Amino acid sequence: MASDAKIAKLLAAMRRNPAGVRFADLTKVCDHYFGEPRQSGTSHRVYRTPWRGDPRVNIQPTKDKAKPYQVRQVLQAIEKLKEDS
């Protein structure tokens, strides 16, 4: 598991440039905040979130990069997690 400092650095990079995020880095951040994905092994990794409504984060790679709109969705989900705690 990545350290809190490493995760903070990745989050800062994700905020600066959502289009330049490696998929492996996005999975590290998601694993840190949401735990193990409920689905993996396919092209998608689906993470559960603790709130009602749309209780998941769904990510998939484009080559070795993360999709920018999914990076933004992950950032929004993390903000919501922080607000709810």
Side-chain angles (χ1 to χ4, degrees), residues 18-84:
V21 178
R22 291 179 41 233
F23 184 72
D25 290 339
L26 185 60
T27 60
K28 287 176 192 170
V29 170
C30 287
D31 289 347
H32 178 81
Y33 281 98
F34 307 115
E36 289 296 312
R38 68 177 187 185
Q39 175 185 331
S40 62
T42 64
S43 63
H44 292 253
R45 291 175 64 100
V46 180
Y47 294 88
R48 289 186 193 272
T49 57
W51 52 81
R52 299 175 74 74
D54 192 14
R56 69 189 185 302
V57 170
N58 180 8
I59 61 172
Q60 67 189 96
T62 300
K63 298 187 182 175
D64 67 336
K65 295 287 187 183
K67 294 185 177 190
Y69 79 93
Q70 291 175 343
V71 172
R72 288 188 291 273
Q73 288 174 343
V74 167
L75 290 170
Q76 289 174 343
I78 290 169
E79 289 306 312
K80 185 170 181 169
L81 268 179
K82 290 179 178 180
E83 289 171 5
D84 291 350

Side-chain angles (χ1 to χ4, degrees), residues 1-15 25 27-33 78:
M1 174 93 40
S3 71
D4 288 343
K6 172 84 171 165
I7 295 297
K9 188 174 180 180
L10 289 173
L11 281 174
M14 288 168 59
R15 287 185 184 105
D25 290 339
T27 60
K28 287 176 192 170
V29 170
C30 287
D31 289 347
H32 178 81
Y33 281 98
I78 290 169

